[in-house]
Amino acid sequence: GVDIGCGMNAVRTSLTASDLPDNLYSVRREIERRVPVGFDRHKKSVVNRSSLNGLDKPLDEIVHKHPGIMKMLKNFNPTWQNQLGTLGGGNHFIELCLDENDDVWIMLHSGSRGIGNVIGRYFINLAKKDMQRHQHHLPDVNLSYLSEGSDYFDDYVMAVNWAQEYAWMNRREMMKLVVEALQNSALPAFQL
């Protein structure tokens, strides 16, 4: 798929069900204020520069070999950098959950955002061209793949690994923002 690294993260807090207000509207609003959703992104990066530097170098290597990736995402660097700590659309979510002991958990589900989508679509198109070039007869062009040892296989693996790291960092940064939102709302002080 194109949401490379899609996954979940859950953290138990020291809060219990009795600490929650009857209406979570203000908590939800505070989370929504801090975590952009869908195509939205932060106005500036919420991630410290040293974390971004760890992503910059490998991504630069990927787009140096495959400059077409940059052309597929408007405002390439600001977009992927400012989407860190944001929630995707579709089946992605942020929830406050209760376990069997009435402990409050924060759970979220998201992936590699727009940059992962671009990487996925880019290499899917290369796989389709590679299949045509080698005259592999597939029952459906959408079953195309890059064979190990083929021209783009190693680049694809490098790009997927990068997107998985990005998705993990996205969930980590989003969780920090949700924790800040809960700490800023009318809930009692809590610990993770």
Side-chain angles (χ1 to χ4, degrees):
V2 294
D3 196 0
I4 302 166
C6 192
M8 296 175 70
N9 188 8
V11 175
R12 185 176 64 195
T13 72
S14 60
L15 298 172
T16 63
S18 62
D19 295 321
L20 297 175
D22 291 337
N23 186 330
L24 292 174
Y25 179 77
S26 63
V27 174
R28 178 181 173 162
R29 293 280 299 181
E30 186 64 22
I31 292 170
E32 289 174 346
R33 188 178 74 73
R34 292 174 184 263
V35 180
V37 178
F39 293 108
D40 288 343
R41 60 184 187 219
H42 297 283
K43 289 182 178 33
K44 61 180 184 141
S45 178
V46 296
V47 179
N48 63 42
R49 186 68 234 168
S50 63
S51 294
L52 287 176
N53 288 342
L55 291 171
D56 276 340
K57 187 176 178 183
L59 182 59
D60 287 346
E61 187 177 338
I62 293 164
V63 297
H64 177 74
K65 289 181 173 182
H66 300 278
I69 292 171
M70 287 185 75
K71 296 174 186 172
M72 294 173 68
L73 188 63
K74 187 176 179 181
N75 299 318
F76 187 77
N77 284 319
T79 297
W80 74 260
Q81 292 171 358
N82 295 350
Q83 279 191 327
L84 274 169
T86 66
L87 184 67
N91 65 349
H92 296 159
F93 62 83
I94 297 172
E95 289 184 358
L96 294 183
C97 307
L98 300 176
D99 66 15
E100 65 279 358
N101 299 317
D102 276 346
D103 292 326
V104 176
W105 288 70
I106 304 167
M107 185 165 60
L108 55 85
H109 171 230
S110 196
S112 53
R113 306 296 284 121
I115 185 69
N117 181 289
V118 165
I119 288 169
R121 287 185 294 123
Y122 179 84
F123 282 98
I124 287 169
N125 287 334
L126 286 180
K128 288 176 181 178
K129 290 175 185 173
D130 197 51
M131 288 286 117
Q132 290 173 347
R133 190 176 72 216
H134 291 98
Q135 298 183 359
H136 289 287
H137 299 289
L138 297 172
D140 187 316
V141 69
N142 291 314
L143 297 174
S144 297
Y145 58 91
L146 295 169
S147 298
E148 189 170 356
S150 67
D151 293 341
Y152 304 113
F153 181 82
D154 290 339
D155 295 344
Y156 170 68
V157 170
M158 181 190 319
V160 165
N161 286 337
W162 183 91
Q164 288 175 334
E165 178 71 19
Y166 180 90
W168 176 85
M169 185 180 286
N170 182 50
R171 286 188 294 279
R172 184 188 73 192
E173 295 303 321
M174 203 179 345
M175 186 61 76
K176 285 181 188 176
L177 294 171
V178 173
V179 167
E180 289 171 8
L182 294 180
Q183 290 170 333
N184 195 50
S185 60
L187 297 176
F190 70 94
Q191 298 176 354
L192 299 178

